[in-house]
Amino acid sequence: MVVEPKILNNICTTAHPLGCAKEVENQINYVKSKPKVKSNVKNALILGASGGYGLASRIAVAYGLGAKTISVSFEKGATERRTATPGWYNNEAFSACAKKDAVQDKNLILDAFLNASKEEVIKEAKSYFNGEKIDLVIYSLAAPVRTDESTGTLYRSALKPIGKKYNGIGVDFITEELLEVSIDPANEDDINSTIKVMGGEDWQLWTDALLNADMLSENAVNIAYSYIGPEITKAIYREGTIGKAKDHLESTAHALDKKMQEKIKGHAYVSVNKAVVTRSSAVIPTVPLYIGILFKVMQNKGIHEGCIEQMYRLVSEKLYNGGAVPVDNENRIRLDDWEMRDDVQKEVLDAWNKLTKDNLKELADLKLFRKDYMNMHGFEEEGIDYSQDVQI
């Protein structure tokens, strides 16, 4: 079929297989252009590896560190009436490139929240890694719902402020129009459900399962991703329901780090990453507008990064730099260091305070935001004829 983007409320419901493959190749080529990183990592497990930071992590680890990788993701294949999810095509594209480049990989399509999936992954890892243990675990799940197996309760995450109604501005990044945003405050169920889905509980369950199965090597590293952000997005993000979940994730990291040090002399970290375009960030009110301005400022300063640049910097400059892992006073790795520089945030805030419908395109790079978003779904890639039929 001829595959076109179908977007409603900043959500794209289609994906182009050739475009997704091209985007994966672009990220692989970026890492290939960089120096190999020396590390002790031979085997890595990436939970949530089919898109965004998870996919970029897998590419950085496989091509930058030369490690064998197992990817766990919950994606859907195509039907006669609709395309597969972008992550499905990304997994296929990564495996095709890996085969060509003699890079060892394995994809598992599983719901990572389920206990049975944890058991299946451990079983597969024992076989695939030939009895060797896992040196690096990356937890990058970004699912909107989770079922508690012990009670059967379905928990759904919420994008809401806490304490009072949020009134602010946002943007339709397709039409490039400013929008007024108003969101009612969360109740206790919203907060608890978001923590249940996006907090650290499942990361801890994975860590316990791997430790109990004796699957983590001595000095293994276990890492999850978080975000803090600026004052502009604080009410809807860090001080909202998602922020509560991230607080829980970061507090979980302290407990896991202590446990891993005691059992295997390993470490658990949270990496606070830069704001980038993901399927999640595109639907958080205010965030796309902030990112558009941020991109403009960081490009002008020559320090703009996407997911793959961030993840290569994570492995090369933070985790495996030949010395101690640099952390802040909360034991977090700060990959948002360039974003949160005083000069960057001052310029972003100045632009934010000047925003009108007339100067929006001058102050925010929404074209780059849109391109990143479309590329993520396999669209607007150079060299692809989107008028042609493709096998989905």
Side-chain angles (χ1 to χ4, degrees):
M1 68 168 66
V2 174
V3 181
E4 298 177 341
K6 295 181 180 178
I7 300 172
L8 180 63
N9 297 327
N10 288 2
I11 298 174
C12 186
T13 59
T14 55
H16 198 285
L18 300 184
C20 287
K22 179 71 171 176
E23 182 63 15
V24 170
E25 289 172 13
N26 290 343
Q27 292 191 47
I28 288 173
N29 288 337
Y30 173 81
V31 177
K32 282 181 175 180
S33 74
K34 297 294 181 180
K36 287 281 188 180
V37 181
K38 292 182 180 180
S39 78
N40 64 344
V41 179
K42 294 193 293 182
N43 305 311
L45 171 64
I46 298 94
L47 304 166
S50 57
Y53 275 128
L55 173 62
S57 299
R58 188 185 198 189
I59 292 170
V61 168
Y63 282 85
L65 303 182
K68 294 171 66 175
T69 62
I70 291 180
S71 153
V72 180
S73 57
F74 198 39
E75 301 293 344
K76 293 181 180 179
T79 68
E80 291 183 0
R81 301 181 64 180
R82 64 167 177 77
T83 69
T85 56
W88 181 279
Y89 294 135
N90 291 340
N91 285 339
E92 289 191 334
F94 180 87
S95 291
C97 291
K99 183 177 181 180
K100 181 179 65 177
D101 296 330
V103 170
Q104 294 179 282
D105 80 295
K106 188 175 187 66
N107 293 321
L108 297 175
I109 304 298
L110 297 167
D111 182 348
F113 287 135
L114 301 179
N115 292 329
S117 297
K118 295 174 176 65
E119 294 171 4
E120 178 70 14
V121 169
I122 289 170
K123 177 183 174 183
E124 291 283 350
K126 287 179 178 178
S127 172
Y128 179 66
F129 294 139
N130 298 316
E132 294 182 343
K133 298 182 182 182
I134 297 167
D135 307 301
L136 174 62
V137 178
I138 293 177
Y139 187 91
S140 185
L141 296 185
V145 296
R146 176 188 174 198
T147 299
D148 187 323
E149 290 184 273
S150 62
T151 64
T153 305
L154 178 69
Y155 293 93
R156 190 177 299 276
S157 62
L159 290 165
K160 293 184 177 181
I162 294 175
K164 62 180 181 180
K165 190 172 186 175
Y166 174 77
N167 294 298
I169 55 173
V171 70
D172 183 323
F173 62 83
I174 301 298
T175 63
E176 299 191 8
E177 293 179 289
L178 285 178
L179 306 171
E180 290 186 4
V181 178
S182 181
I183 307 172
D184 289 330
N187 57 36
E188 284 301 311
D189 283 344
D190 293 327
I191 297 169
N192 293 334
S193 292
T194 305
I195 293 172
K196 193 78 173 180
V197 177
M198 302 179 69
E201 183 179 82
D202 187 61
W203 184 28
Q204 180 167 342
L205 290 173
W206 269 103
T207 305
D208 288 343
L210 291 166
L211 285 170
N212 291 339
D214 194 25
M215 282 301 295
L216 297 182
S217 65
E218 187 172 330
N219 301 313
V221 172
N222 185 11
I223 191 161
Y225 297 142
S226 188
Y227 182 67
I228 295 176
E231 196 70 31
I232 292 169
T233 63
K234 191 170 284 186
I236 196 64
Y237 196 94
R238 195 66 197 200
E239 291 182 350
T241 50
I242 298 180
K244 290 295 183 184
K246 295 303 184 184
D247 288 343
H248 187 273
L249 181 78
E250 291 171 19
S251 65
T252 300
H254 292 290
L256 294 184
D257 188 61
K258 183 178 179 181
K259 182 179 291 188
M260 289 185 64
Q261 286 184 56
E262 291 172 350
K263 296 203 169 192
I264 58 168
K265 300 178 183 177
H267 283 285
Y269 300 104
V270 161
S271 175
V272 180
N273 299 340
K274 167 185 176 286
V276 293
V277 181
T278 65
R279 299 179 79 189
S280 300
S281 67
V283 297
I284 302 175
T286 301
V287 170
L289 182 55
Y290 164 72
I291 292 177
I293 297 172
L294 178 71
F295 279 9
K296 186 97 170 182
V297 171
M298 294 188 77
Q299 282 183 104
N300 290 340
K301 292 180 178 294
I303 55 173
H304 173 66
E305 291 177 311
C307 289
I308 192 62
E309 292 87 359
Q310 283 265 289
M311 293 302 96
Y312 179 78
R313 189 156 69 95
L314 174 65
V315 299
S316 63
E317 297 184 15
K318 306 294 184 180
L319 293 179
Y320 306 106
N321 60 15
V325 176
V327 294
D328 66 9
N329 57 11
E330 294 293 330
N331 203 44
R332 301 175 298 199
I333 298 168
R334 298 303 295 266
L335 273 175
D336 65 342
D337 46 358
W338 297 354
E339 173 187 355
M340 299 309 295
R341 271 176 24 181
D342 289 343
D343 60 321
V344 171
Q345 285 302 312
K346 181 181 184 305
E347 289 188 31
V348 170
L349 184 59
D350 287 346
W352 184 273
N353 290 331
K354 295 175 186 173
L355 268 180
T356 68
K357 64 179 182 179
D358 297 321
N359 64 15
L360 175 61
K361 294 180 181 180
E362 174 190 341
L363 297 177
D365 195 339
L366 295 176
K367 285 185 177 180
L368 180 55
F369 186 104
R370 182 180 185 277
K371 185 178 188 304
D372 282 0
Y373 184 81
M374 299 301 283
N375 289 169
M376 191 190 317
H377 296 84
F379 299 106
E380 297 188 9
E381 292 283 355
E382 293 182 11
I384 293 179
D385 184 351
Y386 289 97
S387 68
Q388 296 297 309
D389 280 332
V390 291
Q391 291 290 332
I392 63 167

